[in-house]
Structures are given as structure tokens and as C-alpha cells.
């Protein structure tokens, strides 16, 4: 997770599945299985390039993203 935390400021787009999102939530001390909360918290994290907002996409198996 330390490597991911160092990269997050440089990420314009975060794309992962729901299991990876749950792992991110746990690492950020957030509620697991709350994909919407995790996406919002991840999108709000500081960015190196403040001219762009971060987009976060979590896939959920055969369910709609």
C-alpha cells in the first residue's frame, strides 16, 4: 500500500475492481463494501496536477459499474 499511496497524487484515473476497492478502503481506514464512499474519498485525495480532477471507476463483476 505504501507504493500505491506514493502514486495516488499522480493518478488522474483510478480503475479497479470491487475487491481491489475494498482493499483500498481498508488501507485508508474506511468502511469496506461501501464502494461509493471509497470512490469519493479516493477522488478527493490530493493531486500533484491540480488542473484536473481525478476520475474513479470501480467495476463490479457482471453488475453495472
Amino acid at each position: 500500500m505504501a507504493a500505491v499511496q506514493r502514486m495516488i497524487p499522480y493518478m488522474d484515473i483510478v480503475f479497479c475492481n470491487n475487491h481491489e476497492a475494498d482493499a483500498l478502503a481498508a488501507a485508508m481506514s474506511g468502511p469496506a463494501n461501501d464502494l461509493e464512499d471509497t470512490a469519493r474519498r479516493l477522488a478527493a485525495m490530493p493531486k500533484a496536477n491540480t488542473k484536473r480532477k481525478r476520475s474513479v471507476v470501480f467495476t463490479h463483476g457482471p453488475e453495472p459499474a
Side-chain angles (χ1 to χ4, degrees):
M1 185 60 194
V4 172
Q5 287 176 323
R6 286 192 303 270
M7 292 186 304
I8 288 174
Y10 304 99
M11 294 178 177
D12 289 332
I13 301 170
V14 177
F15 196 96
C16 62
N17 66 39
N18 60 309
H19 301 292
E20 294 163 333
D22 286 342
L24 279 171
M28 295 188 309
S29 301
N33 298 320
D34 188 346
L35 296 177
E36 187 174 337
D37 178 69
T38 302
R40 285 188 175 148
R41 291 177 60 214
L42 188 55
M45 292 180 85
K47 286 190 75 237
N49 178 1
T50 58
K51 294 179 182 179
R52 298 181 152 177
K53 292 185 177 184
R54 180 178 293 119
S55 296
V56 180
V57 178
F58 295 150
T59 61
H60 195 86
E63 302 297 320

